[in-house]
Amino acid sequence: MKKIVTTIFVLAMALVIPNSAFAALEKQGVDGWYVDDSTTTGVRSFEGGTVKACFSGLAYTYKVQLMENDDVNPDDTIGGTKTATNGNCVSWTDVDTEAGNEELYLKITKDSTKSDYIEITWYD
């Protein structure tokens, strides 16, 4: 009897909780960048929803701003500026500004002009 009740409960919860709650972000690739005091990454295409960037190689604390690249207004900001440190990830949610894929990039700044090489692993 406990098995039947548990099975019914699990099935009922699967219907109540939206599928997006179970969806995991997929790795979209890794980019490497030399950063002085300010750098703009190349444009990447994302499906939207949630976009996550994970950072490695950072010798400083960085400020990162997700930007949309489109023909009408090429520098739309998405969400707020985030703080990135070595080994951490930052996410932007509700990244759906238009139908189809989102063309996005990062503006990266730091308080040093010393050049360093960082890697960004992207998830969507």
Side-chain angles (χ1 to χ4, degrees):
M1 184 66 172
K2 283 186 178 182
K3 278 188 172 182
I4 293 172
V5 171
T6 302
T7 303
I8 292 171
F9 176 75
V10 169
L11 291 174
M13 291 308 293
L15 294 173
V16 172
I17 299 173
N19 288 338
S20 62
F22 296 108
L25 296 176
E26 292 184 25
K27 184 176 178 179
Q28 300 298 314
V30 179
D31 293 325
W33 297 97
Y34 285 98
V35 180
D36 293 320
D37 60 337
S38 180
T39 298
T40 300
T41 67
V43 175
R44 278 190 160 271
S45 184
F46 295 93
E47 290 180 15
T50 298
V51 173
K52 180 168 83 169
C54 297
F55 298 87
S56 61
L58 280 65
Y60 304 92
T61 299
Y62 289 74
K63 298 292 182 190
V64 293
Q65 175 64 61
L66 187 65
M67 306 293 291
E68 180 189 20
N69 183 43
D70 65 26
D71 296 332
V72 176
N73 190 359
D75 291 319
D76 284 340
T77 60
I78 297 187
T81 300
K82 310 276 184 168
T83 300
T85 56
N86 192 45
N88 85 331
C89 301
V90 295
S91 298
W92 292 266
T93 57
D94 298 325
V95 180
D96 291 313
T97 58
E98 60 191 42
N101 283 354
E102 308 296 326
E103 304 299 320
L104 306 174
Y105 64 97
L106 286 178
K107 283 188 176 180
I108 304 171
T109 58
K110 65 179 181 179
D111 288 333
S112 173
T113 57
K114 182 180 176 191
S115 182
D116 58 341
Y117 181 80
I118 68 169
E119 288 190 345
I120 304 169
T121 304
W122 294 97
Y123 297 87
D124 185 15

